[in-house]
Amino acid sequence: MIVRPTPRALIALIVLCSAGCGSEDADALVVVGLTTDMAVGFEIDRVERTTQVDGVITRVESLSYGRGELSLPAELAVEPAHDGAEVEVSVAAFRDGEGSPVVTRTAATRAVSGRAMFLPVSLDAACSAISCAAGATCAAGACVDPFVEPSTLADHDPAWIASANDACKTPSSGDPAVVIGQGERAFAPLEHGDVVTIEPGPQGGHHVWLALRVTGLRQMGSRLTVGGRYPDLAFELPSFTSLVTLRRAGDAGCEIYGVRFQVDRGLPVDSVRGRTLDAEIVLEDPNGDVATAAQRIVIAP
């Protein structure tokens, strides 16, 4: 199970600032919002970006998921720039341990006095096999001009991030839903009343490996709560909570496996063997959308 802390302080990714920052006429803002339809932590692990203002490099940065620095979608309100400043952002995404980027993207516009413009930048899986000519960039699988006229850009609204597409939550993914399965290294179906084998944990106790299939929730930063109840014993197992990162599972949506659920917390292990256990899952994403599921299993004798 991939479990990563994703504090909101770490989602800031791109700062655009001209050499005139802080001057009296620096009242033009460009806010960059970075999104991807690839699974962060699996399909991409690192993002490198370069910002230029009026042809001068103002910032170069590398952010890694493995170091807890990369969480998408992301934005950061920017410092003022001067009117008419040309702002360009180049982003490259890498898999863990690879030196060549999976995908690159460039976007540019001009700052406009008195406006806070929102410049969307997406890292699209459809661009991973496309090489564009000099002066062009790939977006949604096609080579396009990286320059976007300011008149076509919307004003920045912080609410954009709640509806931004990602690897697991899209307009077509439907309402939030979760299905409980089993598996340490892959998802396997779990039917009502199935007998499951438990195994000893490295720090005591005994557990079963759960796995989840998920739709309609964000790929990163969802809060997973796992609990359960033994109806025959009238005993409620203490629940545990963690932040999780989902992986894509093709047409099945997204998933996570290797969820270690201790089934004898507060009980002798012999007292739960052969008992019915009602497992309960709650998964809430950073937008506040929630999916719940319950599954009855039987602990192997």
Side-chain angles (χ1 to χ4, degrees):
M1 176 176 63
I2 302 295
V3 179
R4 304 283 189 187
T6 55
R8 295 189 182 275
L10 294 180
I11 70 169
L13 181 61
I14 299 179
V15 181
L16 306 181
C17 181
S18 75
C21 288
S23 66
E24 292 183 0
D25 63 348
D27 62 348
L29 299 178
V30 178
V31 180
V32 172
L34 185 66
T35 61
T36 185
D37 61 354
M38 295 181 286
V40 179
F42 301 98
E43 294 167 282
I44 60 173
D45 184 75
R46 187 176 87 258
V47 164
E48 296 182 355
R49 60 92 174 179
T50 302
T51 302
Q52 296 186 63
V53 178
D54 289 334
V56 177
I57 294 177
T58 59
R59 185 159 184 169
V60 176
E61 188 172 24
S62 176
L63 297 174
S64 166
Y65 173 78
R67 296 194 300 264
E69 302 162 338
L70 180 60
S71 178
L72 299 179
E75 75 160 50
L76 185 65
V78 302
E79 298 181 22
H82 67 82
D83 183 49
E86 185 162 330
V87 177
E88 180 181 286
V89 180
S90 297
V91 184
F94 298 80
R95 292 191 181 94
D96 187 25
E98 294 186 3
S100 298
V102 179
V103 64
T104 61
R105 176 70 190 276
T106 300
T109 192
R110 281 189 305 274
V112 176
S113 179
R115 287 195 64 194
M117 296 184 302
F118 180 69
L119 179 63
V121 177
S122 61
L123 298 170
D124 303 318
C127 292
S128 60
I130 295 178
S131 178
C132 296
T137 190
C138 183
C143 292
V144 299
D145 187 340
F147 187 83
V148 183
E149 287 291 344
S151 60
T152 67
L153 293 176
D155 291 335
H156 171 245
D157 179 356
W160 78 271
I161 204 165
S163 59
N165 290 349
D166 70 6
C168 297
K169 190 173 189 176
T170 68
S172 63
S173 60
D175 293 333
V178 59
V179 175
I180 301 176
Q182 61 181 324
E184 180 183 3
R185 295 181 176 86
F187 179 94
L190 190 60
E191 302 297 333
H192 182 82
D194 274 356
V195 176
V196 296
T197 301
I198 59 176
E199 59 182 69
Q203 298 178 345
H206 295 74
H207 61 267
V208 60
W209 293 108
L210 296 182
L212 309 175
R213 283 271 169 86
V214 183
T215 55
L217 294 176
R218 289 218 168 274
Q219 190 245 334
M220 302 190 70
S222 290
R223 184 177 299 275
L224 171 65
T225 302
V226 181
R229 185 176 187 275
Y230 287 103
D232 297 342
L233 301 175
F235 184 85
E236 196 88 19
L237 281 171
S239 63
F240 71 89
T241 300
S242 62
L243 295 181
V244 299
T245 296
L246 306 174
R247 66 167 65 228
R248 290 204 298 184
D251 294 339
C254 287
E255 66 184 17
I256 183 172
Y257 45 78
V259 179
R260 192 195 304 267
F261 181 27
Q262 186 177 338
V263 298
D264 59 348
R265 292 182 68 187
L267 291 169
V269 66
D270 288 341
S271 70
V272 305
R273 296 188 189 277
R275 298 285 187 179
T276 296
L277 172 61
D278 292 328
E280 299 176 350
I281 295 289
V282 178
L283 198 57
E284 180 178 3
D285 77 3
N287 294 356
D289 289 330
V290 179
T292 64
Q295 184 66 274
R296 172 162 288 187
I297 59 178
V298 177
I299 304 302

